Amino acid sequence: MLRERANIISVTNAQARLAARRLAVPFLIVLSLLLIVLGKADAVLFERIRVEAADRIAPVLAVLSQPAAAVSAGARHIRGLLDLYDENQRLREDNDRLLEWQEVGRRLAAENAALRALTGFQAKGATFSIAAQVIANSGGAFARNVLVDVGARDGVARGQAGVTGEGLVGRVTEVGERTARLLLLTDLNSRIPVVLESSRLRAVMAGDNSDQPRLLYLPADASITPGERIVTGGADGVFPPDLPVGVVASIDGDVVRVEPYAEPARLDYVRILDLGLSAFLPQSAVPPPRTTKGTKAADAH
Amino acid sequence: MRLTLFPRDIDGLYRLAPFATGALAALLSVTPIAVPGLAIATPAFALMVVYHWTIYRPDLLPPSGVFAIGLFVDLLDGTPYLGLSSLVLLVARSLVLRQRPLVANRDFAVVWAGFLVVAAIVTALEWAVTSILNEAPLGSRPFLFQAIVTAACFPVASYLLAWTQRALLRRV
């Protein structure tokens, strides 16, 4: 009797297990869809989850990015060796040109100093920059961003500009305690107010996950030539004005594409600039760094 | 008597190898490697992992494992669409399970061709969902690039995964 019951139970158990296994995939697919929809509805909560996860995983990513950096450096070294002759030639020409520029620069600096003294000019609030190492780089089809190893505790805040020696790469969109995410210029969600340097036309540079972002909202009769320099507008109060961004790469009817100076795929280090303007931006979903907690802990020691 | 238990415990750990390779693939996809040629688009490493294990050891990578790998991919990627990779990988798993008799124990070329089909379908699905979420059709070029790079990288990943399988899972 008991054994029979045990048999029945084990049969129903097996059936239940079979049903569970059969339902697992539909259930998980529905769960995924639910997550996607929720993520669209409550972006704030999901941003916090992403930031928290990034902070937790940062040490692992930092370790992993070391050998990766070595591989990159190796590849660059080999390419450098191959291009040695051309490179040398180019550098000589650059050097000649730069010497001329140096002369111009000195003259302008002297003139500038004289004019400033004349008008009693005061420089705007000092910018400071934070050097950051890229520890993760998303180059997928629907995300172009990098994770860097500095965060709120280092003074990084939402809206700050990320630059390399070549030019602007993106802006800070998510800030954790020890990590921050930079949305690259090429990302689908990136919108940067820019100015065409020679014509001073204003436009918005919008990423579309391709390597060359588009220029939007240009006047219909604008005359643009390929090779024209694009710099940040600065009028928005988010970025410093006149940071180099890129050059006009192609004009195809209404579609004007920009080749950014900084190549996001080759980023190792970025500098994050602070103008002290991030206070004007919408508040981040992430609470500000809890400095009081830190000092308390320090007091206790 | 303890000693006899020991190998079995190790085997239990080995059974986690498929999931571990999935997690590793997710990490690898965001590791900043500036190798020329790989810069256009990052290959979908996690998709390769799910494809491989679903063909050779589906018992060791259940739907829940696939779901978790997808979540991990999305969290690392920082995409605004948490859950999209889970969805896509689960669909890939279902597709592969269906075509498994066609590709299992066949030439590598067949396995690769199967992967091409799955990668194409999955990338199209990804494009469609992202377009719906953005309320506008997205440029298809980045997706096309990613599919091509992914398909091109598959043989290397497949070799490494087969090696892992031989090394760790011969007895399990």
Side-chain angles (χ1 to χ4, degrees), chain A residues 118-134:
Chain A
L118 212 62
T119 54
F121 177 83
Q122 285 213 322
K124 268 191 243 167
T127 54
F128 79 94
S129 76
I130 310 155
Q133 196 196 345
V134 173

Side-chain angles (χ1 to χ4, degrees), chain A residues 25 28-29 31-32 35-36 40 46 50 64 68 72 79 134-139 141-145 181 188 209 265, chain B residues 30-32 34 36 39-40 42 63-64 67 71 75-79 82-84 86 90 94 126 133-134 138 142 146:
Chain A
V25 172
L28 289 171
I29 285 181
L31 192 61
S32 310
L35 274 177
I36 296 171
K40 194 144 169 68
F46 277 68
R50 275 199 304 278
L64 273 178
S72 309
R79 228 184 357 209
V134 173
I135 54 171
N137 191 339
S138 304
F142 39 77
R144 296 287 164 109
N145 61 55
R181 212 176 271 283
L188 185 65
N209 286 2
Chain B
V30 294
T31 306
I40 341 162
T42 316
S64 52
F67 178 77
L71 280 191
L75 281 176
L76 284 174
D77 244 358
T79 60
L82 187 68
L84 178 58
S86 297
L90 282 167
S94 302
E126 225 164 31
L133 289 170
N134 273 287
L138 297 180
Q146 189 174 30

Side-chain angles (χ1 to χ4, degrees), chain A residues 32-111:
Chain A
S32 310
L33 284 171
L34 211 66
L35 274 177
I36 296 171
V37 173
L38 270 180
K40 194 144 169 68
D42 192 348
V44 173
L45 172 70
F46 277 68
E47 183 187 326
R48 195 173 297 178
I49 292 172
R50 275 199 304 278
V51 166
E52 198 61 39
D55 262 8
R56 294 278 156 81
I57 200 78
V60 180
L61 290 170
V63 170
L64 273 178
S65 64
Q66 294 307 323
V71 170
S72 309
R76 215 170 295 154
H77 186 73
I78 291 167
R79 228 184 357 209
L81 282 177
L82 292 176
D83 298 341
L84 213 55
Y85 180 78
D86 289 345
E87 183 87 354
N88 203 15
Q89 196 72 18
R90 199 174 56 77
L91 286 175
R92 265 176 226 276
E93 285 163 17
D94 274 3
N95 203 25
D96 288 345
R97 205 170 48 239
L98 289 174
L99 280 173
E100 282 169 31
W101 273 107
Q102 189 185 34
E103 207 44 51
V104 176
R106 282 208 184 117
R107 213 169 52 230
L108 285 175
E111 189 181 283

Side-chain angles (χ1 to χ4, degrees), chain A residues 278-292:
Chain A
S278 37
F280 295 112
L281 281 173
Q283 275 302 301
S284 162
V286 182
R290 284 162 296 185
T291 40
T292 46

Side-chain angles (χ1 to χ4, degrees), chain A residues 132-243:
Chain A
Q133 196 196 345
V134 173
I135 54 171
N137 191 339
S138 304
F142 39 77
R144 296 287 164 109
N145 61 55
V146 296
L147 197 68
V148 293
D149 67 344
V150 293
R153 63 173 181 184
D154 307 289
V156 177
R158 207 175 150 100
Q160 288 168 346
V163 296
T164 64
E166 285 112 38
L168 185 73
V169 290
R171 77 190 146 88
V172 177
T173 49
E174 290 174 2
V175 186
E177 195 55 31
R178 61 174 89 177
T179 58
R181 212 176 271 283
L182 278 163
L183 194 72
L184 298 177
L185 302 177
T186 46
D187 189 277
L188 185 65
N189 292 309
S190 169
R191 297 282 183 279
I192 310 273
V194 292
V195 170
L196 282 86
E197 199 181 45
S198 48
S199 60
R200 300 314 288 182
L201 283 173
R202 292 192 172 275
V204 169
M205 192 174 79
D208 59 0
N209 286 2
S210 73
D211 286 342
Q212 298 183 334
R214 291 178 54 178
L215 286 185
L216 303 179
Y217 311 123
L218 278 166
D221 55 345
S223 68
I224 305 156
T225 46
E228 186 165 357
R229 267 167 62 93
I230 310 281
V231 297
T232 49
D236 52 321
V238 180
F239 287 153
D242 295 324
L243 275 179

